[in-house]
Amino acid sequence: VSGPTPPGTAPGLAGIHAGIRACRRCVGAGYLPEAHPVFRGHPGQRWMLVGQAPGPRAHEAGVPWSGASGTLLKAWFARAGFDPDRFLDDWYLTSLTKCFPGKAQGGPGDRAPSRAELALCRPWLDTEIACVQPRVVVTIGRMAAEALVPGAKGTPLRDLVGTVHDVDLGYGPVPVVPLPHPSGVARWLNDPAHRALVDVAMAKLAKLRHGVIS
Ligand code: SF4
């Protein structure tokens, strides 16, 4: 893990959240005009969702997955047995970078965080994982899968979605389930074969859910 270490050696989750809310690293480094970290969670949550970065709706609302992508994500999870109305209760919601990076220049969608921004924010994610110790982690998009699944770098999303990886996150092997971004501008989901991979992933997530709650 590169980049600065969050303050404190073993802060509780409230201390970690206070540190993230006060974080201005990307502003100080000149990558963002303003910092508005968006994440949500509480101790004891068994499911962690790691996205790439908040989108504009989450930025405005201050709650992750507030837009149409969140609606589709909840519909996917419902197929794995999760109650959409309990989304915010069941899932610890975080991302590789916690602040909206802005819109992409010259194209649809949001700007992907740079390698430098990823490095600046990564210690927060590592601290969240170490503190919450989720039983299952779901990653959204290729960048998040690459960040958490060893060997995933350069692997096409079609070879990641539908697989489950037992990853040592520092407190034992944890199943990591890669998903694509449930975005209207992501053409990846237009391919029926890709949507079938999401079905496979949801079937595997349903089995993991059964194993965790039973
Ligand atoms: S993206 Fe992460 S490191 Fe950058 S300012 Fe926001 S919270 Fe801090």
Side-chain angles (χ1 to χ4, degrees):
V1 175
S2 56
T5 303
T9 50
L13 194 59
I16 294 168
H17 286 180
I20 297 173
R21 283 193 199 95
C23 181
R24 299 292 179 269
R25 291 174 189 161
C26 293
V27 179
Y31 299 121
L32 292 177
E34 60 165 344
H36 179 209
V38 179
F39 57 95
R40 180 133 169 174
H42 54 78
Q45 283 172 312
R46 296 174 291 185
W47 311 89
M48 179 177 280
L49 193 59
V50 181
Q52 180 173 296
R57 292 289 301 277
H59 175 76
E60 285 163 19
V63 179
W65 300 103
S66 293
S69 298
T71 303
L72 180 53
L73 187 61
K74 283 180 245 181
W76 286 353
F77 284 167
R79 279 150 49 192
F82 291 93
D83 181 349
D85 293 334
R86 288 191 50 81
F87 179 66
L88 294 177
D89 296 314
D90 288 343
W91 291 85
Y92 187 96
L93 305 173
T94 187
S95 44
L96 300 182
T97 60
K98 320 280 188 230
C99 299
F100 174 49
K103 301 302 287 181
Q105 281 193 335
D110 305 333
R111 178 177 72 80
S114 67
R115 193 176 294 200
E117 290 162 281
L118 291 170
L120 285 174
C121 210
R122 179 61 190 251
W124 291 127
L125 177 62
D126 290 335
T127 310
E128 289 173 290
I129 290 172
C131 186
V132 177
Q133 300 198 352
R135 299 273 299 276
V136 174
V137 173
V138 171
T139 59
I140 301 292
R142 203 157 77 92
M143 282 179 100
E146 287 183 346
L148 288 181
V149 177
K153 194 144 188 67
T155 304
L157 206 47
R158 67 173 175 275
D159 293 332
L160 291 170
V161 176
T163 62
V164 178
H165 304 261
D166 284 332
V167 179
D168 183 357
L169 293 178
Y171 56 95
V174 179
V176 176
V177 183
L179 290 182
H181 196 287
S183 160
V185 299
R187 283 178 296 176
W188 196 87
L189 286 168
N190 290 345
D191 186 333
H194 290 170
R195 292 201 298 275
L197 291 175
V198 175
D199 293 340
V200 173
M202 287 309 113
K204 292 187 175 179
L205 190 59
K207 277 191 184 163
L208 289 169
R209 178 179 173 276
H210 189 259
V212 167
I213 64 173
S214 60

